[in-house]
Amino acid sequence: ATVVRDYYQKAKGISASAALVKATLINTAVDLADENNDGASDNDFAIPNVHEGWGRINLVGATDGTLAYVEGAGLATNGSASYSVTPTGGPLKITVVWSDFQSTETAAINLVNDLDVIVTGPGGSPVYYGNVFAGGWSQVGGSADRRNNVENVYIQAPAAGTWTVQVRGFNVPSGPQPFALVVDGGTSTTPPPPPATNVHVGDLDGSKSGKSTRWTASVSVLVHSGSETPVAGVVVTGAWSGAASGSATCTTAADGRCTVSKSNIR
Protein backbone atom coordinates (compact mmCIF):
# COMPACT_ATOMS: atom_id res chain seq x y z
CA ALA A 1 0.00 0.00 0.00
CA THR A 2 2.88 2.34 0.78
CA VAL A 3 4.52 1.65 -2.57
CA VAL A 4 1.26 2.26 -4.46
CA ARG A 5 0.58 5.52 -2.63
CA ASP A 6 4.16 6.64 -3.26
CA TYR A 7 3.70 5.80 -6.97
CA TYR A 8 0.64 8.04 -7.24
CA GLN A 9 2.50 10.83 -5.44
CA LYS A 10 5.62 10.70 -7.61
CA ALA A 11 4.28 9.56 -10.98
CA LYS A 12 0.87 11.23 -10.99
CA GLY A 13 1.37 14.12 -8.58
CA ILE A 14 -1.65 13.28 -6.43
CA SER A 15 -2.16 12.37 -2.79
CA ALA A 16 -4.06 9.14 -3.33
CA SER A 17 -6.94 8.37 -0.99
CA ALA A 18 -7.09 5.12 0.94
CA ALA A 19 -9.91 4.06 -1.39
CA LEU A 20 -7.76 4.61 -4.51
CA VAL A 21 -4.84 2.66 -3.03
CA LYS A 22 -7.14 -0.22 -2.10
CA ALA A 23 -8.90 -0.19 -5.49
CA THR A 24 -5.54 -0.30 -7.29
CA LEU A 25 -4.26 -3.25 -5.23
CA ILE A 26 -7.48 -5.21 -5.74
CA ASN A 27 -7.86 -4.43 -9.44
CA THR A 28 -4.36 -5.64 -10.31
CA ALA A 29 -4.27 -8.70 -8.04
CA VAL A 30 -3.56 -12.07 -9.68
CA ASP A 31 -5.86 -15.10 -9.32
CA LEU A 32 -3.76 -17.91 -7.80
CA ALA A 33 -3.89 -21.34 -9.42
CA ASP A 34 -3.24 -23.17 -6.12
CA GLU A 35 -5.19 -20.85 -3.86
CA ASN A 36 -6.07 -23.55 -1.31
CA ASN A 37 -2.49 -24.88 -1.08
CA ASP A 38 -3.36 -28.48 -1.96
CA GLY A 39 -0.38 -28.85 -4.28
CA ALA A 40 -2.43 -28.79 -7.48
CA SER A 41 -2.60 -25.75 -9.73
CA ASP A 42 -6.21 -26.48 -10.64
CA ASN A 43 -7.87 -23.23 -9.49
CA ASP A 44 -10.41 -25.07 -7.34
CA PHE A 45 -11.76 -21.76 -6.06
CA ALA A 46 -11.92 -18.87 -8.47
CA ILE A 47 -11.82 -15.31 -7.15
CA PRO A 48 -13.22 -14.01 -4.93
CA ASN A 49 -12.76 -16.70 -2.28
CA VAL A 50 -11.81 -17.11 1.38
CA HIS A 51 -8.35 -18.47 0.52
CA GLU A 52 -6.97 -15.52 -1.43
CA GLY A 53 -9.63 -12.80 -1.46
CA TRP A 54 -9.22 -11.09 -4.86
CA GLY A 55 -5.79 -12.67 -5.47
CA ARG A 56 -2.08 -12.09 -4.91
CA ILE A 57 -0.91 -8.47 -4.87
CA ASN A 58 1.03 -7.53 -8.02
CA LEU A 59 2.99 -4.31 -7.51
CA VAL A 60 4.30 -4.32 -11.08
CA GLY A 61 0.77 -4.26 -12.45
CA ALA A 62 -0.30 -1.70 -9.88
CA THR A 63 2.44 0.78 -10.81
CA ASP A 64 3.10 0.23 -14.54
CA GLY A 65 1.13 3.31 -15.58
CA THR A 66 -1.52 1.48 -17.61
CA LEU A 67 -4.45 1.95 -15.23
CA ALA A 68 -7.17 4.54 -15.71
CA TYR A 69 -8.37 5.97 -12.40
CA VAL A 70 -10.73 8.52 -10.93
CA GLU A 71 -11.03 10.00 -7.45
CA GLY A 72 -14.80 10.46 -7.56
CA ALA A 73 -16.57 13.38 -5.93
CA GLY A 74 -19.03 12.69 -3.15
CA LEU A 75 -22.33 11.09 -4.15
CA ALA A 76 -25.64 11.54 -2.38
CA THR A 77 -28.62 9.18 -2.47
CA ASN A 78 -29.75 8.84 -6.12
CA GLY A 79 -26.68 10.74 -7.28
CA SER A 80 -24.54 9.21 -10.01
CA ALA A 81 -21.34 9.63 -12.00
CA SER A 82 -20.78 8.07 -15.43
CA TYR A 83 -17.58 7.32 -17.32
CA SER A 84 -16.95 6.01 -20.85
CA VAL A 85 -14.40 3.21 -21.26
CA THR A 86 -13.03 1.65 -24.44
CA PRO A 87 -11.48 -1.85 -24.07
CA THR A 88 -7.92 -2.17 -25.33
CA GLY A 89 -7.99 -5.92 -25.89
CA GLY A 90 -8.08 -8.70 -23.35
CA PRO A 91 -10.09 -8.65 -20.11
CA LEU A 92 -11.66 -5.48 -18.77
CA LYS A 93 -11.42 -5.04 -14.99
CA ILE A 94 -13.34 -2.31 -13.16
CA THR A 95 -13.04 -1.69 -9.42
CA VAL A 96 -14.92 0.79 -7.22
CA VAL A 97 -13.97 1.29 -3.56
CA TRP A 98 -15.13 3.80 -0.97
CA SER A 99 -14.16 4.47 2.65
CA ASP A 100 -17.50 4.00 4.34
CA PHE A 101 -18.92 6.06 7.21
CA GLN A 102 -18.53 4.39 10.60
CA SER A 103 -21.20 1.89 11.61
CA THR A 104 -22.54 1.12 15.10
CA GLU A 105 -22.16 -1.89 17.38
CA THR A 106 -25.86 -2.70 17.19
CA ALA A 107 -26.20 -2.51 13.39
CA ALA A 108 -27.44 -5.69 11.71
CA ILE A 109 -25.75 -4.59 8.47
CA ASN A 110 -22.50 -2.67 8.84
CA LEU A 111 -22.49 -1.03 5.41
CA VAL A 112 -23.72 2.55 5.94
CA ASN A 113 -23.31 4.31 2.60
CA ASP A 114 -24.28 1.98 -0.24
CA LEU A 115 -22.95 2.71 -3.73
CA ASP A 116 -23.50 0.57 -6.83
CA VAL A 117 -21.35 0.08 -9.91
CA ILE A 118 -23.20 -0.76 -13.13
CA VAL A 119 -21.26 -1.52 -16.32
CA THR A 120 -23.12 -1.44 -19.64
CA GLY A 121 -21.86 -2.60 -23.01
CA PRO A 122 -22.07 -0.79 -26.35
CA GLY A 123 -25.66 -0.20 -27.40
CA GLY A 124 -27.03 -0.77 -23.89
CA SER A 125 -26.17 -4.43 -23.35
CA PRO A 126 -24.92 -6.53 -21.67
CA VAL A 127 -25.36 -5.09 -18.16
CA TYR A 128 -23.16 -6.13 -15.26
CA TYR A 129 -23.61 -5.35 -11.56
CA GLY A 130 -20.72 -5.27 -9.11
CA ASN A 131 -19.69 -8.54 -7.40
CA VAL A 132 -21.87 -10.91 -9.45
CA PHE A 133 -19.19 -13.54 -10.09
CA ALA A 134 -18.88 -17.15 -11.27
CA GLY A 135 -15.66 -18.85 -12.31
CA GLY A 136 -13.68 -15.70 -11.58
CA TRP A 137 -15.60 -13.51 -14.04
CA SER A 138 -18.62 -11.24 -13.87
CA GLN A 139 -21.96 -12.65 -14.94
CA VAL A 140 -24.85 -10.89 -16.64
CA GLY A 141 -27.90 -10.48 -14.41
CA GLY A 142 -28.02 -10.87 -10.68
CA SER A 143 -28.64 -7.97 -8.31
CA ALA A 144 -26.72 -5.13 -6.76
CA ASP A 145 -24.44 -5.76 -3.76
CA ARG A 146 -25.92 -4.45 -0.47
CA ARG A 147 -23.12 -5.52 1.91
CA ASN A 148 -19.69 -4.39 0.69
CA ASN A 149 -17.76 -1.18 0.08
CA VAL A 150 -15.75 -2.88 -2.68
CA GLU A 151 -17.44 -3.68 -6.00
CA ASN A 152 -15.76 -5.33 -8.97
CA VAL A 153 -16.76 -6.07 -12.54
CA TYR A 154 -14.32 -8.33 -14.42
CA ILE A 155 -15.30 -9.01 -18.05
CA GLN A 156 -13.28 -11.74 -19.70
CA ALA A 157 -13.92 -10.83 -23.35
CA PRO A 158 -15.55 -7.40 -23.67
CA ALA A 159 -17.03 -6.43 -27.02
CA ALA A 160 -15.33 -3.66 -28.95
CA GLY A 161 -16.83 -0.21 -28.61
CA THR A 162 -17.65 2.22 -25.84
CA TRP A 163 -18.72 0.85 -22.47
CA THR A 164 -20.39 2.92 -19.76
CA VAL A 165 -19.40 2.70 -16.10
CA GLN A 166 -21.93 4.23 -13.75
CA VAL A 167 -21.33 4.70 -10.02
CA ARG A 168 -24.64 5.35 -8.29
CA GLY A 169 -25.57 6.36 -4.76
CA PHE A 170 -28.24 3.81 -3.81
CA ASN A 171 -28.53 4.85 -0.16
CA VAL A 172 -26.21 7.45 1.35
CA PRO A 173 -27.51 8.53 4.77
CA SER A 174 -24.13 9.94 5.85
CA GLY A 175 -22.84 11.59 2.72
CA PRO A 176 -21.76 12.81 0.37
CA GLN A 177 -19.67 9.68 -0.20
CA PRO A 178 -16.42 9.99 -2.24
CA PHE A 179 -15.20 6.91 -4.12
CA ALA A 180 -12.27 5.63 -6.19
CA LEU A 181 -12.61 4.00 -9.62
CA VAL A 182 -9.80 1.98 -11.24
CA VAL A 183 -9.95 0.47 -14.74
CA ASP A 184 -7.50 -2.05 -16.24
CA GLY A 185 -7.73 -3.17 -19.85
CA GLY A 186 -9.48 -0.03 -21.06
CA THR A 187 -8.93 3.62 -21.75
CA SER A 188 -11.29 6.21 -20.35
CA THR A 189 -12.61 9.00 -22.54
CA THR A 190 -13.28 10.97 -19.36
CA PRO A 191 -9.88 10.77 -17.64
CA PRO A 192 -9.09 12.63 -14.45
CA PRO A 193 -7.63 16.08 -15.08
CA PRO A 194 -3.87 16.48 -14.71
CA PRO A 195 -3.15 17.57 -11.17
CA ALA A 196 -1.66 20.93 -10.28
CA THR A 197 1.32 20.90 -7.96
CA ASN A 198 0.02 23.83 -5.89
CA VAL A 199 -3.58 24.97 -5.67
CA HIS A 200 -5.37 27.54 -3.58
CA VAL A 201 -8.84 28.96 -3.12
CA GLY A 202 -8.95 32.07 -5.26
CA ASP A 203 -12.45 33.20 -4.38
CA LEU A 204 -15.46 32.38 -2.20
CA ASP A 205 -18.86 33.78 -3.21
CA GLY A 206 -21.72 33.35 -0.77
CA SER A 207 -25.42 33.72 -1.44
CA LYS A 208 -28.68 32.91 0.27
CA SER A 209 -32.26 32.27 -0.78
CA GLY A 210 -35.56 31.39 0.85
CA LYS A 211 -38.30 33.06 2.80
CA SER A 212 -39.98 33.18 6.19
CA THR A 213 -37.97 31.25 8.80
CA ARG A 214 -36.12 28.84 6.50
CA TRP A 215 -33.40 29.63 4.01
CA THR A 216 -30.63 28.08 1.90
CA ALA A 217 -26.96 29.09 1.99
CA SER A 218 -24.74 28.52 -1.06
CA VAL A 219 -21.01 29.03 -1.49
CA SER A 220 -19.25 29.06 -4.87
CA VAL A 221 -15.56 28.13 -4.62
CA LEU A 222 -12.91 29.04 -7.22
CA VAL A 223 -9.65 27.08 -7.16
CA HIS A 224 -6.48 28.34 -8.89
CA SER A 225 -3.06 26.91 -9.56
CA GLY A 226 0.00 28.79 -8.46
CA SER A 227 -0.07 30.60 -11.83
CA GLU A 228 -3.69 31.70 -11.29
CA THR A 229 -5.07 29.14 -13.77
CA PRO A 230 -8.42 27.52 -12.83
CA VAL A 231 -7.94 23.88 -11.84
CA ALA A 232 -10.54 21.17 -12.50
CA GLY A 233 -11.03 17.99 -10.49
CA VAL A 234 -10.07 19.42 -7.10
CA VAL A 235 -12.11 18.08 -4.18
CA VAL A 236 -12.99 20.94 -1.82
CA THR A 237 -14.23 20.12 1.68
CA GLY A 238 -15.28 22.52 4.40
CA ALA A 239 -17.33 22.76 7.58
CA TRP A 240 -20.45 24.89 8.00
CA SER A 241 -20.56 27.20 11.00
CA GLY A 242 -22.93 29.61 12.68
CA ALA A 243 -26.53 28.65 11.98
CA ALA A 244 -25.50 25.51 10.06
CA SER A 245 -23.50 22.44 11.03
CA GLY A 246 -21.81 19.50 9.34
CA SER A 247 -19.52 19.48 6.33
CA ALA A 248 -19.86 19.78 2.56
CA THR A 249 -17.79 18.57 -0.39
CA CYS A 250 -17.72 19.47 -4.07
CA THR A 251 -15.38 18.92 -7.04
CA THR A 252 -14.30 21.74 -9.31
CA ALA A 253 -15.37 21.77 -12.96
CA ALA A 254 -13.38 22.92 -15.99
CA ASP A 255 -13.71 26.56 -14.91
CA GLY A 256 -12.19 25.76 -11.51
CA ARG A 257 -15.50 26.32 -9.70
CA CYS A 258 -17.81 24.20 -7.62
CA THR A 259 -20.70 24.98 -5.32
CA VAL A 260 -21.95 23.63 -2.00
CA SER A 261 -25.34 24.38 -0.48
CA LYS A 262 -27.06 23.95 2.89
CA SER A 263 -30.83 24.12 3.00
CA ASN A 264 -33.51 24.31 5.68
CA ILE A 265 -31.54 26.66 7.92
CA ARG A 266 -33.50 28.48 10.60
Side-chain angles (χ1 to χ4, degrees):
T2 303
V3 171
V4 170
R5 194 174 192 281
D6 186 60
Y7 160 76
Y8 277 113
Q9 181 73 45
K10 293 178 178 176
K12 303 298 181 180
I14 66 169
S15 180
S17 67
L20 179 58
V21 172
K22 186 174 181 178
T24 302
L25 290 170
I26 290 174
N27 184 274
T28 55
V30 178
D31 189 2
L32 294 171
D34 185 19
E35 71 292 307
N36 58 345
N37 201 31
D38 64 355
S41 297
D42 49 12
N43 201 226
D44 280 338
F45 302 92
I47 56 171
N49 61 69
V50 298
H51 302 284
E52 59 178 323
W54 292 103
R56 185 191 69 237
I57 286 176
N58 178 6
L59 283 179
V60 173
T63 61
D64 64 4
T66 62
L67 301 176
Y69 65 92
V70 174
E71 290 266 36
L75 293 177
T77 300
N78 297 323
S80 66
S82 294
Y83 306 90
S84 298
V85 174
T86 302
T88 55
L92 178 64
K93 300 176 69 177
I94 296 162
T95 301
V96 173
V97 173
W98 62 99
S99 296
D100 194 21
F101 192 81
Q102 62 265 28
S103 183
T104 64
E105 295 178 357
T106 58
I109 299 173
N110 286 115
L111 185 67
V112 176
N113 291 333
D114 187 359
L115 306 184
D116 293 330
V117 59
I118 304 168
V119 179
T120 307
S125 65
V127 177
Y128 295 93
Y129 288 94
N131 295 347
V132 180
F133 274 78
W137 299 102
S138 291
Q139 304 297 303
V140 174
S143 57
D145 188 316
R146 296 285 171 253
R147 294 292 186 273
N148 298 290
N149 66 330
V150 173
E151 294 203 6
N152 281 323
V153 173
Y154 293 172
I155 304 171
Q156 188 172 19
T162 300
W163 290 68
T164 300
V165 179
Q166 181 187 40
V167 184
R168 182 178 63 189
F170 174 77
N171 183 40
V172 187
S174 298
Q177 177 63 63
F179 63 90
L181 167 68
V182 172
V183 177
D184 189 22
T187 58
S188 175
T189 58
T190 51
T197 303
N198 297 297
V199 298
H200 65 273
V201 174
D203 192 20
L204 288 171
D205 292 325
S207 63
K208 65 178 181 177
S209 61
K211 57 184 179 179
S212 187
T213 61
R214 303 279 180 176
W215 58 288
T216 297
S218 298
V219 179
S220 175
V221 185
L222 174 62
V223 176
H224 281 160
S225 67
S227 59
E228 301 300 315
T229 301
V231 181
V234 175
V235 178
V236 181
T237 300
W240 295 100
S241 61
S245 61
S247 61
T249 300
C250 64
T251 302
T252 58
D255 62 355
R257 284 192 176 275
C258 68
T259 301
V260 292
S261 297
K262 184 78 169 181
S263 59
N264 204 32
I265 301 175
R266 289 185 180 275

